[in-house]
Amino acid sequence: MEKIVSLCKRRGFIYPSSEIYGGFANIYDFGPLGVELKNNLKKAWWGEMIKNHKDIVGLDAAILMNPRVWKASGHLSAGFSDELLECKNCHKRFKLDEVEDNKCPECKGKLSKPRKFNLMMKTFVGPVENEAAVAYLRPETCQGIYVNFLNVVNSMRLKVPFGIAQIGKSFRNEINPKGFIFRTREFEQMEMQWFCRPKEADKFFDYWKKERLKWYQKLGIQRKNLKITETPAGKRAHYAKRQIDIEYHFPFGWGEIEGIHNRGDWDIKNHSEYSGKDLRYTEESGDKYYPHIIETSVGVERSLFAFLTEAYHEVKGGRTITTKSAKEAEVLLKLPKSLAPIKIAVLPLVKNKPEIVKKSKEVYNLLNPHFMCQYDEAGSIGRRYRRMDEIGTIISIVCDFQSLEDNTFTLRERDSMKQIRIEMSKLQETIQKILEGGDFLKLGKVI
Amino acid sequence: MEKIVSLCKRRGFIYPSSEIYGGFANIYDFGPLGVELKNNLKKAWWGEMIKNHKDIVGLDAAILMNPRVWKASGHLSAGFSDELLECKNCHKRFKLDEVEDNKCPECKGKLSKPRKFNLMMKTFVGPVENEAAVAYLRPETCQGIYVNFLNVVNSMRLKVPFGIAQIGKSFRNEINPKGFIFRTREFEQMEMQWFCRPKEADKFFDYWKKERLKWYQKLGIQRKNLKITETPAGKRAHYAKRQIDIEYHFPFGWGEIEGIHNRGDWDIKNHSEYSGKDLRYTEESGDKYYPHIIETSVGVERSLFAFLTEAYHEVKGGRTITTKSAKEAEVLLKLPKSLAPIKIAVLPLVKNKPEIVKKSKEVYNLLNPHFMCQYDEAGSIGRRYRRMDEIGTIISIVCDFQSLEDNTFTLRERDSMKQIRIEMSKLQETIQKILEGGDFLKLGKVI
């Protein structure tokens, strides 16, 4: 765990937020490599939903919503609150399930009685800070989908069953944020809400469970590191008729990365009642009903953390030149091609030969508009390979003395360390093929 | 203006937020087409910054930051507040520059004295709602870049001059949100902060002014609809040494879509002083200095509104079959290829011929994983062309009786309405070329 956190900071993936001010509330910022990784992850999910499933459309609702939404959704009631106990001595607060007897886990002081504490973050919209101006930062993105249900059906001429997908930020005033980016107070969700006939809800629940499990595996997560846990009645969220978690085997143990819920007609029915608008769906036959909803809800930071964990490898025995005989382990970040933040490294063999540097920069300028590239001339070539392995760069292109003669370059593949030689005019096309899954050794002259 | 707003709602671009509850605070949600358009716009900007400018890296900082950030930045002081007057009769509040005499513009009641009102939205982080728990929703994204300056320099081994680009949400408690999505309380920014030597700040200011102006024109905005306004000393933001606005000619008049600022060393110097961390940059020569910053700051919703306005055309005389002789104007949304939310429409000529419907769906399934496609079988072909013109779809593919015989399809280009005929196996490649700017009439058999 500490190794991943440290790699993330050192190599520009993830920094503690406002770190120069001592950080803030277990919130994190994504650095140059982190934002590319996160964007790639969101793109992969969005493509899976919108492009691979033809009956799904996108949406992007605002974080601030009419406060009446949270009455209808049940979030202003006791269901969306934590029971907290305060230590009468040190004044720290704890969740009910964190304390075993009536003593503070930190200072052994006496604890108060439990008190309900809503998890939504409050703000004020408008010129006066009073009750009438209270609004909330949404604690889940899905309500933005439900309140737009009719607008989407009408403007897009959709027929049930169909889905609406959305990526966006949510906020929860967690008492106990923890586990690096696993549980943070500001986080991002990728949610898809599938609207269907009541009778078909069970069928689609099973369908989406399988689909979602497949998706993680398609992106390189091993099945043994994924677990499905069903929440029994009585322990489910207030809206859920059925609820499973997809859990990942994190360094700290199993943790939920996605929830799949059969929400029944809870949402659309409640919003109909609270808003006074009839949100029932009308079939061509004239039948009217509240559509049932199957929800697939991914935590962006959590799943990103899972992909980072799965990709993190330490290799002993020296993969690269500098550490050939060293005992020190090298980090190899085996991110899948679609997720890796940097696809291509362009490396001049030496930096004190102006022609080589010049040609390397030509290659960089040629490729960078098409693929995320990084140019690196600092240190030995072995050290640079090592730096690229550490951040998961798929291909390293080396410009050497031969390149000056015949305009060919060495391409080194990250995981196999195998090399092929490619002519400049073929670089873009070859890399495109490699990134699309082509057989590396068949794409150029093996050396 | 009303025509654009109405088109946006009717065709799934933009809906008022929480509309079933009567909307909320002039906030808007992006529908299925709006989110694709917005994502395309962000992708175009990100590509321009990260891929076309090699010395720029990305970042994604959180919305919630340590409150000390806002002391250092000056946002907690009087500089970031509006002067408001309250009507003693109707209790509405107004900006100082909105009232001409001491009478309420609405009910003619007497107004109070002006009072400072901070524009930041407040929230509480942690279990107790008290002063110690106050945090703010960031009013601008750039502070996330400044506080991460050292982390980015160190982890990415960057040398001045370089830039950091970021896209993200900001919040301002505007008293007077207006102009559809032009001024909203929740909005998104695309900001690039360019760090340079103090001596080079003027040079880079001019460079970025030209670059940014070019970008809008590259994406189809006519120069005559763009205006550059320089803010004179005394009227500038508290941090700005020089400040220009790029304005667009909106339906309601000229309005700022991007600001370019020479922020001098205000930010890095203040954060150094307030945090106690030395954020000076060290040259290889040993020289240390606070880098100066040139900022380019785009409003996502505003620029999206500008692109929609520029694209909006009404054509009389009947472009499509259904309205050939009608007097009614047809809407043609001439969005550039990279921004259009739907690239390809797949249209069966008739829907009562199962073979034609089946083959159309084959085409849709073939292309949808690669391009944003829409399948539409409802209504006459003319009416469907019209619907596609209205949302800016680049190419309409029609499957007709001939398609059943020779597997060729008609491709209709949006703006010219010209048509070519393409074989199924060539569709993907041809469309790729069209979208990359290839000459439509040279890519297939003209019919």
Side-chain angles (χ1 to χ4, degrees):
Chain A
M1 175 99 158
E2 294 79 45
K3 283 175 180 172
I4 294 176
V5 175
S6 142
L7 177 75
C8 281
K9 184 178 165 192
R10 187 164 46 84
R11 297 310 311 274
F13 283 93
I14 299 166
Y15 317 121
S17 169
S18 315
E19 194 184 14
I20 59 171
Y21 291 99
F24 185 61
N26 200 51
I27 287 172
Y28 289 88
D29 293 346
F30 287 82
L33 298 191
V35 62
E36 297 297 336
L37 173 58
K38 188 154 67 118
N39 285 347
N40 289 342
L41 175 58
K42 291 197 246 179
K43 197 177 149 196
W45 184 86
W46 193 258
E48 170 72 9
M49 288 298 166
I50 306 280
K51 290 186 175 167
N52 293 349
H53 290 92
K54 60 184 168 155
D55 300 318
I56 299 181
V57 298
L59 189 83
D60 184 17
I63 290 168
L64 296 173
M65 303 179 74
N66 190 308
R68 290 168 65 198
V69 168
W70 308 113
K71 273 202 183 134
S73 71
H75 284 85
L76 279 171
S77 72
F80 196 67
S81 49
D82 270 348
E83 292 235 65
L84 296 189
L85 303 95
E86 185 174 304
C87 170
K88 288 177 178 172
N89 182 39
C90 74
H91 299 288
K92 285 206 173 139
R93 288 168 192 218
F94 304 93
K95 284 191 183 184
L96 200 51
D97 55 10
E98 283 175 333
V99 293
E100 293 196 354
D101 47 23
N102 201 23
K103 293 283 179 195
C104 170
E106 302 225 340
C107 78
K108 302 294 165 203
K110 232 187 148 186
L111 294 173
S112 71
K113 283 193 182 143
R115 184 169 79 86
K116 288 276 182 188
F117 176 68
N118 195 288
L119 290 172
M120 284 200 290
M121 285 195 199
K122 200 188 249 189
T123 189
F124 305 95
V125 173
V128 200
E129 276 180 25
N130 61 19
E131 276 310 303
V134 165
Y136 300 93
L137 307 188
R138 64 178 175 198
E140 58 182 29
T141 56
C142 56
Q143 297 299 329
I145 294 180
Y146 307 143
V147 298
N148 279 305
F149 169 70
L150 258 198
N151 268 337
V152 174
V153 167
N154 292 338
S155 56
M156 302 302 289
R157 312 158 70 92
L158 294 172
K159 284 178 188 162
V160 162
F162 69 87
I164 303 178
Q166 179 173 236
I167 301 177
K169 291 233 171 172
S170 293
F171 297 80
R172 292 184 191 181
N173 211 349
E174 299 281 358
I175 291 312
N176 198 4
K178 68 173 181 184
F180 187 36
I181 54 171
F182 181 76
R183 188 191 290 160
T184 56
R185 292 190 174 117
E186 174 177 342
F187 59 101
E188 213 162 355
Q189 296 184 294
M190 306 193 282
E191 297 196 320
M192 191 282 299
Q193 310 293 322
W194 183 256
F195 298 85
C196 64
R197 298 186 185 96
K199 270 189 185 171
E200 295 187 315
D202 287 334
K203 179 183 90 182
F204 283 120
F205 186 88
D206 292 336
Y207 171 80
W208 281 109
K209 175 177 149 185
K210 280 184 200 134
E211 283 290 293
R212 297 305 305 145
L213 206 55
K214 258 197 282 178
W215 186 72
Y216 290 102
Q217 294 174 79
K218 209 161 69 181
L219 284 174
I221 292 194
Q222 298 172 81
R223 183 60 183 84
K224 68 169 176 147
N225 289 332
L226 293 169
K227 187 169 87 175
I228 285 199
T229 318
E230 176 136 13
T231 308
K235 290 209 161 186
R236 288 176 204 141
H238 61 275
Y239 49 75
K241 292 178 74 169
R242 228 186 125 188
Q243 176 172 356
I244 59 168
D245 291 345
I246 298 181
E247 297 187 46
Y248 179 75
H249 197 198
F250 284 102
F252 56 79
W254 291 96
E256 180 197 350
I257 51 175
E258 174 160 357
I260 300 174
H261 309 124
N262 177 348
R263 302 179 66 121
D265 62 3
W266 166 270
D267 304 286
I268 298 298
K269 198 175 172 185
N270 273 339
H271 282 303
S272 277
E273 281 169 12
Y274 278 80
S275 71
K277 300 274 186 300
D278 184 356
L279 303 180
R280 283 178 300 170
Y281 176 79
T282 310
E283 292 275 352
E284 275 175 28
S285 66
D287 273 6
K288 279 191 168 200
Y289 56 86
Y290 295 113
H292 280 220
I293 291 173
I294 307 300
E295 161 182 76
T296 71
S297 172
V298 185
V300 173
E301 291 84 356
R302 290 176 172 202
S303 56
L304 186 145
F305 189 10
F307 285 110
L308 275 176
T309 304
E310 189 78 13
Y312 187 89
H313 288 78
E314 288 187 354
V315 188
K316 277 188 183 157
R319 279 169 48 91
T320 57
I321 300 164
T322 43
T323 52
K324 204 140 209 171
S325 55
K327 282 176 200 154
E328 199 189 338
E330 294 173 34
V331 173
L332 173 63
L333 202 64
K334 287 172 111 171
L335 286 168
K337 287 174 180 138
S338 58
L339 297 188
I342 305 291
K343 311 296 184 198
I344 306 294
V346 181
L347 315 173
L349 183 67
V350 291
K351 73 165 174 179
N352 56 8
K353 183 92 181 169
E355 299 94 314
I356 285 189
V357 168
K358 187 176 164 232
K359 198 169 260 302
S360 303
K361 289 188 173 165
E362 261 173 54
V363 170
Y364 174 85
N365 290 332
L366 176 75
L367 298 176
N368 196 48
H370 307 285
F371 317 101
M372 272 299 291
C373 294
Q374 207 169 72
Y375 174 85
D376 188 359
E377 59 174 38
S380 74
I381 191 75
R383 186 177 292 274
R384 281 178 279 158
Y385 280 151
R386 191 175 175 177
R387 281 206 290 265
M388 290 302 155
D389 288 348
E390 229 179 31
I391 60 172
T393 304
I394 308 294
I395 300 288
S396 292
I397 301 180
V398 177
C399 174
D400 54 20
F401 291 94
Q402 194 187 325
S403 312
L404 299 179
E405 284 166 29
D406 64 5
N407 233 9
T408 67
F409 304 85
T410 298
L411 272 60
R412 172 189 180 265
E413 202 261 341
R414 180 191 68 197
D415 298 349
S416 67
M417 294 189 293
K418 296 215 163 120
Q419 304 191 339
I420 58 175
R421 195 102 194 159
I422 298 286
E423 218 268 303
M424 194 163 188
S425 64
K426 292 267 165 71
L427 276 178
Q428 188 188 332
E429 184 192 333
T430 307
I431 290 165
Q432 188 66 48
K433 283 181 186 158
I434 295 170
L435 295 179
E436 283 168 2
D439 186 344
F440 182 72
L441 294 178
K442 287 189 181 148
L443 289 168
K445 197 182 151 204
V446 181
I447 53 170
Chain B
M1 175 99 158
E2 293 81 45
K3 283 176 180 172
I4 294 177
V5 175
S6 142
L7 177 75
C8 282
K9 185 177 164 194
R10 187 163 47 85
R11 297 309 311 274
F13 283 92
I14 299 165
Y15 315 122
S17 169
S18 314
E19 196 184 13
I20 58 170
Y21 291 100
F24 185 61
N26 201 50
I27 287 172
Y28 289 88
D29 294 345
F30 287 82
L33 299 192
V35 62
E36 297 297 336
L37 173 58
K38 187 154 71 118
N39 285 347
N40 290 342
L41 175 59
K42 291 196 245 178
K43 196 177 152 198
W45 183 86
W46 193 258
E48 169 73 9
M49 288 297 167
I50 306 280
K51 291 188 174 165
N52 294 349
H53 290 92
K54 60 185 168 156
D55 301 318
I56 299 181
V57 297
L59 188 84
D60 183 20
I63 290 168
L64 296 173
M65 304 180 72
N66 190 308
R68 290 168 64 198
V69 169
W70 308 114
K71 272 201 183 135
S73 71
H75 284 85
L76 279 171
S77 71
F80 195 68
S81 49
D82 270 347
E83 293 235 64
L84 295 188
L85 303 95
E86 185 175 303
C87 171
K88 289 178 178 172
N89 181 40
C90 75
H91 300 287
K92 285 205 173 139
R93 289 169 190 218
F94 304 92
K95 284 191 180 182
L96 200 51
D97 55 11
E98 282 176 332
V99 294
E100 293 198 354
D101 47 24
N102 200 24
K103 293 283 180 194
C104 169
E106 302 227 339
C107 79
K108 302 294 164 201
K110 232 186 149 187
L111 295 172
S112 70
K113 281 190 184 147
R115 184 171 79 87
K116 289 277 183 188
F117 175 68
N118 196 288
L119 290 173
M120 283 199 290
M121 284 195 200
K122 201 188 249 188
T123 189
F124 304 95
V125 173
V128 200
E129 277 182 23
N130 61 19
E131 276 309 303
V134 165
Y136 300 92
L137 306 188
R138 66 179 173 197
E140 57 183 29
T141 56
C142 55
Q143 297 299 328
I145 293 180
Y146 307 143
V147 299
N148 278 305
F149 168 70
L150 258 198
N151 267 338
V152 174
V153 167
N154 293 337
S155 56
M156 301 303 288
R157 313 158 68 92
L158 294 172
K159 285 179 186 161
V160 163
F162 69 88
I164 302 179
Q166 180 174 234
I167 300 177
K169 291 232 172 173
S170 294
F171 296 80
R172 292 183 190 182
N173 210 349
E174 300 281 358
I175 291 313
N176 198 3
K178 68 172 181 183
F180 187 35
I181 55 171
F182 181 76
R183 188 191 290 161
T184 55
R185 292 190 175 118
E186 173 178 343
F187 58 102
E188 212 162 357
Q189 296 184 294
M190 307 192 283
E191 295 197 320
M192 192 282 299
Q193 310 293 322
W194 183 256
F195 299 85
C196 64
R197 298 186 184 95
K199 270 189 183 169
E200 294 187 315
D202 287 334
K203 179 183 87 182
F204 283 120
F205 186 88
D206 292 336
Y207 171 80
W208 281 110
K209 174 177 148 186
K210 279 184 200 131
E211 283 290 292
R212 297 304 305 144
L213 207 54
K214 257 197 283 178
W215 185 73
Y216 290 102
Q217 294 173 79
K218 208 161 67 183
L219 285 174
I221 293 195
Q222 299 173 82
R223 183 62 183 83
K224 68 168 177 150
N225 289 332
L226 293 168
K227 187 169 88 174
I228 286 199
T229 319
E230 176 136 14
T231 309
K235 291 210 160 185
R236 288 176 203 141
H238 61 275
Y239 49 74
K241 293 178 73 168
R242 229 186 124 187
Q243 177 173 355
I244 58 167
D245 292 346
I246 299 181
E247 297 186 46
Y248 179 75
H249 197 198
F250 283 102
F252 57 80
W254 291 95
E256 181 196 350
I257 53 174
E258 173 159 357
I260 299 174
H261 309 125
N262 177 348
R263 302 179 66 122
D265 61 5
W266 166 270
D267 304 285
I268 299 298
K269 198 175 174 184
N270 273 339
H271 282 302
S272 278
E273 282 168 12
Y274 277 80
S275 71
K277 301 274 185 301
D278 185 355
L279 303 180
R280 284 178 301 170
Y281 176 79
T282 310
E283 293 275 353
E284 275 175 30
S285 66
D287 273 7
K288 279 189 170 206
Y289 56 86
Y290 295 112
H292 280 221
I293 291 172
I294 306 301
E295 162 183 75
T296 70
S297 172
V298 185
V300 173
E301 290 84 356
R302 288 176 174 203
S303 55
L304 186 145
F305 189 11
F307 284 110
L308 274 176
T309 305
E310 189 78 13
Y312 188 89
H313 288 76
E314 288 186 354
V315 188
K316 277 189 185 157
R319 279 169 50 91
T320 56
I321 300 165
T322 43
T323 52
K324 203 140 209 169
S325 56
K327 281 177 198 154
E328 201 189 336
E330 294 173 33
V331 172
L332 173 63
L333 202 63
K334 287 172 110 171
L335 286 169
K337 288 177 178 131
S338 57
L339 298 189
I342 306 291
K343 310 297 184 199
I344 305 294
V346 180
L347 315 173
L349 183 66
V350 290
K351 74 164 172 178
N352 55 8
K353 183 93 180 169
E355 298 95 315
I356 285 189
V357 168
K358 188 176 163 230
K359 199 170 259 303
S360 302
K361 288 187 175 166
E362 262 174 54
V363 171
Y364 175 85
N365 290 332
L366 175 76
L367 298 176
N368 196 48
H370 307 284
F371 317 100
M372 273 299 291
C373 294
Q374 206 169 72
Y375 174 84
D376 188 359
E377 59 175 38
S380 73
I381 191 74
R383 186 178 292 274
R384 282 179 278 159
Y385 280 151
R386 190 175 175 176
R387 280 205 291 264
M388 290 303 155
D389 288 348
E390 230 179 31
I391 61 173
T393 304
I394 308 295
I395 300 287
S396 292
I397 301 180
V398 177
C399 175
D400 54 20
F401 291 94
Q402 193 187 325
S403 310
L404 299 179
E405 284 167 28
D406 64 4
N407 232 8
T408 67
F409 304 86
T410 297
L411 271 61
R412 172 190 181 265
E413 202 260 340
R414 180 192 67 197
D415 297 350
S416 67
M417 293 188 292
K418 295 212 163 123
Q419 304 192 340
I420 58 175
R421 195 101 195 160
I422 299 285
E423 217 269 303
M424 194 162 186
S425 63
K426 292 269 165 71
L427 276 178
Q428 188 188 332
E429 185 192 332
T430 307
I431 289 164
Q432 187 66 47
K433 284 183 186 156
I434 296 170
L435 295 180
E436 283 169 2
D439 186 344
F440 182 73
L441 293 179
K442 287 190 180 148
L443 289 167
K445 197 182 151 206
V446 181
I447 53 169

